[in-house]
Amino acid sequence: MPILSRPALVEHLVRTRIAGDVATPRDNNLSHYRKLANGDRHYWLGLELGDRWSDEQDVLAVMAERCGVVDDPAHRVGQDTIDPELTVDGLDRMAARLRKAAAGKERVLFATGHPGSLIDVHSRVAAALRAQGCDIVRIPGGLIADEGYVVQFADVAVFERGATLWHTHSPEPMNAILDALGEDGRPDLVIADHGWAGRAGQRGIDSVGYADCNDPALFIGEAEGTMQVTIPLDDHVIDPRYYEPMTAYTLGASGLL
């Protein structure tokens, strides 16, 4: 796939609704910000936020700055947005971290709570890093979390229950992996999303995560320095192939193509 210029990628992100006017409605975003501020751990995505973010308006301010949602607290329903320029900024920061991983031939773990949309994004980056000599983590077999199994497809850890791959925000699958790997098998870098990314960062591992506008925790994690990079995007658009130009851009910017 040809690598798009930054302006062309921005246009693609808006046209496919990966960014720009996204599908996630404003009221859903604000509900999640409120639940995070009220201490609901489900919305902390594996991070430990204490009482530092107990004001919903502080959460909104971070999301306006780092994700590009509408910054007006009086805007309660209707359309909300992700700034595509911030998405590409995040991809550029991710590319810089990938260059470092490739130069150091680091040990890298990939995981997703969105197997229906992001598994191919993660898998392509894993293949590119392996070609540069990085050690892509192979997780131990038989891992159990949240009454299901933590398994791996195409180099990407996912959560399985009832013969189905599940959409999950839980940090417990990442806990299971890191506990099983132990200190000797600890990755240098995790590239993931949801609770997989947040818990890796919370446990002191360099963590890069994709995050939607209704998942504020990873943006807060980057603001506090727990996350290395958080990339704003709609994490489940209608066709997973829409992410391919974004992945190609990232690999091109990182020098991995």
Side-chain angles (χ1 to χ4, degrees):
M1 174 172 291
I3 300 173
L4 298 181
S5 66
R6 181 184 179 111
L9 179 61
V10 166
E11 188 279 331
H12 170 80
L13 295 174
V14 172
R15 179 172 53 81
T16 58
R17 301 186 74 184
I18 293 172
D21 291 340
V22 292
T24 310
R26 177 67 168 190
D27 56 319
N28 181 265
N29 285 343
L30 294 181
S31 172
H32 286 204
Y33 304 168
R34 185 179 313 112
K35 289 172 180 176
L36 179 147
N38 288 340
D40 187 331
R41 293 296 186 97
H42 176 77
Y43 297 92
W44 288 14
L45 300 182
L47 295 167
E48 294 299 331
L49 303 179
D51 59 1
R52 299 185 298 279
W53 298 91
S54 58
D55 187 333
E56 177 186 344
Q57 300 309 315
D58 290 340
V59 179
L60 174 59
V62 168
M63 294 303 292
E65 176 188 8
R66 292 180 175 267
C67 184
V69 301
V70 177
D71 62 0
D72 181 4
H75 178 51
R76 309 300 297 178
V77 297
Q79 182 65 56
D80 213 339
T81 58
I82 292 175
D83 185 340
E85 297 288 349
L86 293 178
T87 303
V88 182
D89 287 346
L91 296 174
D92 287 338
R93 294 196 303 278
M94 178 181 181
R97 186 61 186 85
L98 292 177
R99 285 195 298 273
K100 179 182 177 183
K105 300 190 185 310
E106 291 183 344
R107 182 168 165 79
V108 187
L109 171 64
F110 291 83
T112 185
H114 260 294
S117 55
L118 295 180
I119 193 167
D120 188 55
V121 173
H122 290 301
S123 181
R124 288 171 185 253
V125 177
L129 285 175
R130 175 180 283 112
Q132 296 293 320
C134 288
D135 178 14
I136 306 305
V137 173
R138 184 174 175 87
I139 70 170
L143 298 182
I144 297 174
D146 295 333
E147 300 181 345
Y149 295 94
V150 187
V151 296
Q152 195 166 31
F153 293 98
D155 292 322
V156 186
V158 292
F159 178 68
E160 179 189 38
R161 189 165 67 195
T164 301
L165 302 185
W166 281 62
H167 169 213
T168 178
H169 288 210
S170 173
E172 294 308 319
M174 181 58 74
N175 274 334
I177 294 172
L178 296 179
D179 289 346
L181 291 174
E183 283 301 312
D184 290 342
R186 179 184 174 94
D188 302 301
L189 173 65
V190 167
I191 300 176
D193 46 72
H194 286 176
W196 306 79
R199 182 48 54 89
Q202 187 63 47
R203 291 183 62 159
I205 299 168
D206 282 5
S207 183
V208 172
Y210 300 102
D212 209 329
C213 55
N214 62 354
D215 291 327
L218 297 190
F219 296 98
I220 289 173
E222 187 180 15
E224 292 194 327
T226 310
M227 293 288 301
Q228 289 276 301
V229 180
T230 299
I231 300 120
L233 48 69
D234 186 318
D235 55 17
H236 199 130
V237 293
I238 192 169
D239 187 341
R241 291 174 293 186
Y242 288 163
Y243 296 108
E244 290 176 359
M246 179 192 82
T247 307
Y249 175 91
T250 306
L251 295 177
S254 63
L256 298 183
L257 290 181

